[in-house]
Amino acid sequence: MTIGEYSQIYRGKRVVEFRMGATPAGGDVVYRLTQDYDSEESQRALLDDFLSKVDPAELETLIVGAWSEAHDEGPQGYIDALIEYRAKLPKLTALFFGDMTYEDCEISWITQTSYNPLLAAFPQLQSLRVRGSTSLELQAFSHDALEELAIECGGLPSQIVDAVAGSTLPALKHLELWLGSDNYGFDGGLAPYQNLLAKIGPERLRYLGLRDSEISDEVAVWLAQQPWLGSLQTLDLSLGTIGDVGAQALAESPNLGALERIDLSHHYISEEWQAKLRALPCQVVLDDPEEEDDGDRYVAVSE
């Protein structure tokens, strides 16, 4: 499975597209800047055009959608321009880079870039979501305001996980990482994630998503043993390959505490263990059951 739809709602607001030369829709919406595969304008030119038609001082959230030749070029033009504009964007607190479908560019082909300069330039940023991990660069950083960090990809390199583990993020509440497949860049095993959660202090998280993982059973077995698990509001292991081993660990965990929601959508769990999970005193989402293919399981999003 790949990503076939654009975001329609983002951070509670309707998403509308903005292309070069367009008139902004107006109203309480979130804009997604979009280019075609072979657009002639540069990323900088599209951002210039957009910011000349809205009030930059009131802009709170911005989505960067498909950019021209995303399989070969990252969103560096947007990042450089946003950094130049930062004094005129005092309320910009949420950014999403890469809201594109497989028809624009397969997730594993999306070329990314380094996000450290952007994070340093926007100390007020509360949410950063990035789609794609090819050429994605991130070094350990400190950021006092960042509440949400999400990286969607078909295979997450462990060096990115290590960078997050080494970061100082006192406001972080929502951590979402798509582990993906080792065919598309996942190289970590369980250890980097054990290290990550040991270092960031998971007790303060409200949401933990270790999604789209081909080691979902291992992840679930380990998480079920953690005394801090019940301090989460949501545990999201969706899009992965969890089966009865992980299901049993979660169903029998003594650490669920006040956990309100477990999302296991796209799973390989038997009816027997689905029933036991549904009996837990929290909401357990078990949408999209899958069947093994000659003993093999696959994550929902990879290529």
Side-chain angles (χ1 to χ4, degrees):
M1 191 178 93
T2 54
I3 295 177
E5 297 182 353
Y6 301 106
S7 299
Q8 301 299 314
I9 301 292
Y10 195 65
R11 297 179 69 82
K13 297 183 179 181
R14 183 169 64 93
V15 177
V16 297
E17 195 170 76
F18 181 89
R19 290 177 179 269
M20 188 73 180
T23 299
D28 193 18
V29 300
V30 173
Y31 288 99
R32 177 176 51 238
L33 306 185
T34 302
Q35 292 181 298
D36 293 325
Y37 173 80
D38 54 355
S39 290
E40 294 183 359
E41 79 277 4
S42 68
Q43 297 173 9
R44 172 61 188 255
L46 178 55
L47 184 66
D48 286 347
D49 185 41
F50 172 68
L51 292 179
S52 71
K53 297 173 178 175
V54 299
D55 183 358
E58 296 300 319
L59 189 65
E60 297 179 353
T61 302
L62 183 64
I63 297 175
V64 173
W67 55 83
S68 181
E69 300 187 3
H71 68 284
D72 194 41
E73 181 180 356
Q76 192 64 49
Y78 285 120
I79 290 177
D80 290 344
L82 284 168
I83 290 173
E84 286 186 38
Y85 273 116
R86 61 186 184 275
K88 297 180 179 179
L89 300 166
K91 294 185 179 180
L92 185 60
T93 54
L95 285 165
F96 177 7
F97 288 86
D99 185 16
M100 62 182 84
T101 72
Y102 74 93
E103 292 185 284
D104 299 310
C105 188
E106 296 281 7
I107 193 169
S108 64
W109 299 357
I110 299 173
T111 301
Q112 279 293 347
T113 187
S114 172
Y115 282 86
N116 287 91
L118 180 83
L119 288 160
F122 287 88
Q124 78 275 22
L125 197 67
Q126 296 176 3
S127 173
L128 176 64
R129 178 173 292 269
V130 175
R131 180 172 294 165
S133 61
T134 297
S135 300
L136 177 63
E137 296 180 22
L138 190 68
Q139 284 77 47
F141 62 100
S142 295
H143 200 293
D144 290 338
L146 197 68
E147 297 178 355
E148 178 181 30
L149 177 62
I151 301 174
E152 306 175 3
C153 63
L156 188 63
S158 57
Q159 65 186 55
I160 300 297
V161 183
D162 293 342
V164 179
S167 298
T168 302
L169 304 171
L172 192 67
K173 298 177 182 176
H174 179 120
L175 178 61
E176 180 181 344
L177 302 174
W178 294 23
L179 282 63
S181 164
D182 60 8
N183 289 323
Y184 295 97
F186 173 68
D187 63 356
L190 183 59
Y193 298 89
Q194 293 174 314
N195 178 57
L196 164 66
L197 290 164
K199 288 187 174 178
I200 66 168
E203 297 84 355
R204 61 198 171 87
L205 295 178
R206 305 302 293 157
Y207 170 102
L208 174 63
L210 298 177
R211 309 180 66 192
D212 198 45
S213 171
E214 62 181 8
I215 60 167
S216 293
D217 275 329
E218 287 180 69
V219 171
V221 168
W222 178 72
L223 287 173
Q225 301 171 36
Q226 304 312 304
W228 49 261
L229 183 63
S231 64
L232 297 173
Q233 196 170 64
T234 298
L235 172 65
D236 190 347
L237 302 180
S238 64
L239 307 181
T241 61
I242 191 168
D244 284 0
V245 171
Q248 180 175 358
L250 292 172
E252 297 179 350
S253 172
N255 299 310
L256 298 184
L259 190 63
E260 296 178 10
R261 189 171 190 268
I262 303 173
D263 193 338
L264 303 176
S265 300
H266 189 278
H267 62 83
Y268 294 82
I269 301 171
S270 67
E271 291 289 343
E272 176 188 357
W273 281 104
Q274 287 186 54
K276 292 179 180 179
L277 287 167
R278 290 193 178 96
L280 290 173
C282 63
Q283 179 189 14
V284 181
V285 183
L286 291 161
D287 296 340
D288 302 326
E290 302 290 323
E291 294 186 1
E292 293 184 354
D293 182 3
D294 288 333
D296 292 325
R297 303 177 188 175
Y298 299 95
V299 297
V301 180
S302 52
E303 184 177 6

